[in-house]
Amino acid sequence: MTRVGFLYPGSSAEDDYKAFEDLLGGDVELPLVHTPLSDDLHVLERLLEAGGEASLVKGAQEIAAMDVEATVWACTGGGFVYGWEGTRRQVERVRQATGGPASSTSCAFVHALIRLRLPRVAIAATYPDEISQRFVEFLSEAGVSVVSVASHGIATAAEVAYLDPDEVLDFVISNDHPRAEAVLVPDTALHSAHLIEPLEALLGKTVLTANQVSVWEGLRLAGRTEPRATGPGMLFRAGSAAVTSLLPD
């Protein structure tokens, strides 16, 4: 059994991780520690607060006692708003606090694109446009080319968690771009475990969601790099053995 821990802000789509456990075939456990969140607004001030060092270190210290093999900071916005170097520093603090391998959802998107060799992406974001543009800047710093970005403009994580699956499908599909090699859906408040396969079938290309890449990244850090036929999406079927991490050792 492989155990990967997740630092998850507030409460919205945490049950998505149980869905991933089931989809991965029962040999993976994905325990969560909820980090503090004063409110779940998708605004810069709140996302910076969510990703603050004190919250991350406290959560990491809790998860260190849970016998996990790796830890992921599972909040896309609370990472990329700090920029590439700031996100790397977050990961380093989590690694120091847990004493084991660590990463974040934002970094996981980049590593997934490296593994799949897909440098051009479209973004279908649930966030307001100001926050979506921060994700574009983060990806650009990491060498990813964003050919289009769409913002759903949803104000809170709670609203994202209650989106109807058909609405999510429609939003992502309608915001694909012909030049994009993958579509990124960057919000861990979004339930996505059971949407990846239908989205990829409808679009005919890779779809990467926040909770999906978080789980994949955690397994990669835990040494589970083999392709997984039971994993959702092209990403899990590709495995992660060929990834060269951009994070500090």
Side-chain angles (χ1 to χ4, degrees), residues 133-208:
Q133 292 301 324
R134 291 275 184 149
F135 189 45
V136 173
E137 293 168 8
F138 171 85
L139 292 173
S140 297
E141 286 184 76
V144 178
S145 174
V146 178
V147 297
S148 68
V149 57
S151 301
H152 205 323
I154 299 177
T156 69
E159 293 173 84
V160 173
Y162 284 105
L163 283 174
D164 183 87
D166 287 339
E167 183 178 353
V168 178
L169 290 171
D170 289 344
F171 174 68
V172 175
I173 291 167
S174 64
N175 289 293
D176 183 20
H177 188 281
R179 291 186 56 236
E181 299 166 299
V183 181
L184 276 51
V185 189
D187 194 339
T188 57
L190 179 72
H191 291 90
S192 67
H194 295 293
L195 299 180
I196 298 160
E197 292 287 347
L199 279 168
E200 290 190 339
L202 289 164
L203 290 172
K205 65 178 64 174
T206 299
V207 173
L208 300 177

Side-chain angles (χ1 to χ4, degrees), residues 213-233:
V213 299
S214 299
V215 174
W216 175 86
E217 179 85 328
L219 292 176
R220 181 184 73 81
L221 291 172
R224 297 294 300 271
T225 60
E226 73 278 8
R228 299 183 65 97
T230 56

Side-chain angles (χ1 to χ4, degrees), residues 6 17 20 24 30 211-219 236:
F6 296 85
Y17 289 83
F20 277 102
L24 289 167
L30 308 173
N211 290 329
Q212 174 203 26
V213 299
S214 299
V215 174
W216 175 86
E217 179 85 328
L219 292 176
F236 280 97

